[in-house]
Amino acid sequence: LNKNMEAYEQAVSIAKEQSYWRDHPNKKRKQQKIALVKTLGCHWRSDAPEEDVELNACVVHDTKKDEYSVFVTTNLSRTTRQIVMTYELKA
């Protein structure tokens, strides 16, 4: 998600509030923590809201830079690790 999106802002806010961070599964990313945020669909705005679906997110916190990234999926059974590793494959 882009930083200027409501769903991004909500995901980061919820992850900070829940404060349930895990180590990033990629050992090269030791300075990053990940957290799962469920049910973000209500914060997603599309041109066809009647067709919108539910979203879960993996929030990544780079503790060294104090920056966040948010990756989403419509597959609600995915774990935080599965979400972030899918994006790792694309990088």
Side-chain angles (χ1 to χ4, degrees), residues 3-16:
K3 292 181 180 181
N4 64 345
M5 301 175 101
E6 179 184 349
Y8 170 93
E9 293 172 5
Q10 288 298 316
V12 171
S13 176
I14 292 167
K16 286 179 177 180

Side-chain angles (χ1 to χ4, degrees), residues 61-80:
H61 180 210
D62 186 317
T63 58
K64 186 175 181 180
K65 297 178 182 177
D66 196 27
E67 295 178 349
Y68 295 87
S69 299
V70 179
F71 304 101
V72 296
T73 183
T74 57
N75 184 339
L76 305 181
S77 66
R78 293 270 179 178
T79 65
T80 311

Side-chain angles (χ1 to χ4, degrees), residues 29-91:
R29 299 183 183 273
K30 292 180 183 179
Q31 76 282 5
Q32 295 182 0
K33 301 289 184 181
I34 60 174
L36 180 66
V37 176
K38 296 183 178 183
T39 62
L40 281 175
C42 63
H43 301 289
W44 175 259
R45 305 279 190 249
S46 75
D47 294 334
E50 65 280 355
E51 297 175 11
D52 288 353
V53 295
E54 193 55 75
L55 302 171
N56 282 353
C58 174
V59 178
V60 180
H61 180 210
D62 186 317
T63 58
K64 186 175 181 180
K65 297 178 182 177
D66 196 27
E67 295 178 349
Y68 295 87
S69 299
V70 179
F71 304 101
V72 296
T73 183
T74 57
N75 184 339
L76 305 181
S77 66
R78 293 270 179 178
T79 65
T80 311
R81 177 183 167 80
Q82 290 170 324
I83 296 168
V84 78
M85 292 309 289
T86 297
Y87 283 91
E88 284 275 315
L89 292 172
K90 296 178 181 182

